[in-house]
Amino acid sequence: MDNRRVTVFYQGKTIELEKSLTVKQLLKELRLNPLEHLVQVDGKLYTEDRVIKLGSRVIIHKVTSAG
């Protein structure tokens, strides 16, 4: 893993970013609705205000509610 990048995995794609950012900024940059996605950073769920540091491994999960 590269300590100078944030590695993001979403729907079979890998995206690498060269900056630290909050979960909210990440979702906005990727044009994803924060009400429809959960963000897991290095195995832990993060809220929108948490900062994702360089060297982190991020998995974005799409969630849906039926009902």
Side-chain angles (χ1 to χ4, degrees):
M1 181 165 42
D2 190 342
N3 287 334
R4 295 165 298 184
R5 299 175 192 256
V6 173
T7 306
V8 180
F9 300 94
Y10 178 65
Q11 292 188 336
K13 297 178 185 174
T14 302
I15 303 158
E16 292 195 343
L17 304 170
E18 296 182 354
K19 60 183 177 182
S20 294
L21 67 171
T22 65
V23 169
K24 185 175 185 174
Q25 291 169 326
L26 173 64
L27 293 175
K28 185 174 182 177
E29 191 167 308
L30 299 177
R31 297 182 183 193
L32 299 175
N33 184 338
L35 298 176
E36 297 177 352
H37 296 85
L38 293 175
V39 177
Q40 181 181 358
V41 180
D42 297 327
K44 297 177 182 176
L45 287 178
Y46 269 33
T47 55
E48 286 186 2
D49 60 328
R50 296 279 308 266
V51 175
I52 303 168
K53 297 180 182 177
L54 293 175
S56 296
R57 183 175 187 265
V58 179
I59 301 172
I60 300 176
H61 302 279
K62 182 164 177 62
V63 294
T64 8
S65 175

